Amino acid sequence: MKIERRDFLRKSLLIGSAALIAPRALFSQSPDAKIEILINEPIGTINPNLYSHFVEHLGGVVYDGIWVGERSKIPNIGGIRKELVDSLARIKPGVIRYPGGCFADQYDWRDGVGPRDKRPTRVNFWADTGYKAPDSYRQLNSGPQKYEPNAFGTDEFVRFCKLVGAQPYLAANVRTRDVRVFQEWLEYCNAPGGLTTLSSERAANGASNPHNVSYWGIGNESWGCGGDFLPEEYAVEFRKFTAWLPTFGVKLQLIGSGPNGGDTGWTRRFFTKLTEKGMGQLNKLYGWALHYYCGTTGKGIAAEFTENEWYDLIARSDRMESLIKDHWQVMGETDRDHKIKLIVDEWGAWHLQDPNVPAAYLYDYAGTLRDALISGVNLDTFQRHADKVAMANPAQLVNTIHSLFQAQEDRFTVTSNYHVFEMYMPHAGATAVRTEFIAPQVSFTRLDAARKEVPANFWGLNGSASIKGKTVTLTTVNPDARNVRETEINIGGARILSASARVLSSRDIHARNTFEDPHGLEPRDESMNVGTGGKLVYKFAPASVTRIQISIA
Ligand code: AHR
């Protein structure tokens, strides 16, 4: 069945507006929502790099999170935390971005290679930062989080990537180091052993085979901590950093430091300045990095929020959709064929550090079901824009911000976000297809800029779908904190044979995993009945992320 878009939207609007004014009881006999999966309307292949990660020398991310040291009692593989390796490998990470973040623009890769006992100690970018850091963190005056021992550097990072099956993505220092330092790092990583002095040095450090690093970021947040540049100034730096680079047979995928959230001026002015030197400059860019954190609510504590704050933050995370569309449109003003893709290499919610975690674990907290829904909203958005987004990395992998893991000494747990990544795995490499969601909106109250309560609403069901062979994968977020959303699911152009669901939900919207309760929030599998004629009706649980896999003929 091919649904005409105009016809479909007209019907959707009718259902949508009826739902807005009708009491729920009117729908008790039949589904009040509908999903149309249009498998004959492909959007693009979903890049497996949408499920990528980010590691920065910040708080407990590297030291303790990943690196425990070879002599640690904590099970490790050459110093790298084994439980993390095993859990991360299970969800097939695309790439891992490193060493920052803001840290990258003051890092010298040379500090982090060679015999560990000879590596220098340097002050970490995050040692003095007052940005959202608790007083207890500011008062610390020792430890690897403040004074970087460089025990974990390029070779350890690439080893970590190999252990988990990810590609490395390194960010060059544009603020405090020059082009030569960048080129030498590239040479150290990619030149075949014995070919140059630097590749021989790498071999002497234990890595005789080249690291073959393909993804390179040219700075990070160059509008801020990465140099406080104007977009025109950064475009000049970008041209200089990329004018000539040794490739050693590796296809280099260079990523420009893109905008902060909705700053389309940064995007437009960069592209305009870059191409003053000719349109050929565009060929140097593989991707344009967009960063967007939806922030926090209320007191900023991850696990303390009201129902209104639940909705407010999920709605704010949904801004990713318009950010992608807006920057894409502006990029297209110069890059008319859209060869350059968006790389959302920092995204997530960002709450305050949990006062109960040790001070050194900067911005660490256990995310809740609310964060899981935010993960679902973001991943679905990237999948719906599979033609535009080539990579996405939540900030960050472990022990900080929107993390997938918490690890402190011998304690380890996966967070709510991890489960969403696990559930979304079947989308990787599949073809995203247009999918329409019709459902009553959710309503709530939020605080406006003047801290006055104002009514607000947003969609009541959203998600994305993809197809691989004869399997359709549908992932859906139901933000309604209280109500089941009974939904008719149709696949235009195919017959439904069977279906099964995997659901992450809880009666408690604050549910989460902690060291004390590592299974506080886990997905459950559900079988589904397909009705006569391939009719599929499903009740999406309140406050849920759901994956439905459908076999079709
Ligand atoms: O992820 C934490 C920080 O947020 C990164 O270092 C920086 O790029 C961003 O502002």
Side-chain angles (χ1 to χ4, degrees), residues 54 56 58 97 100-103 126 220-221 223 225 291 293 346 350 363 395-396 401:
F54 173 32
E56 176 166 11
L58 178 160
R97 177 175 182 245
C102 296
F103 178 87
W126 296 97
N220 166 75
E221 299 196 347
W223 40 263
C225 62
H291 290 181
Y293 294 90
E346 288 187 30
W350 189 337
Y363 311 135
Q396 301 189 10
I401 316 180

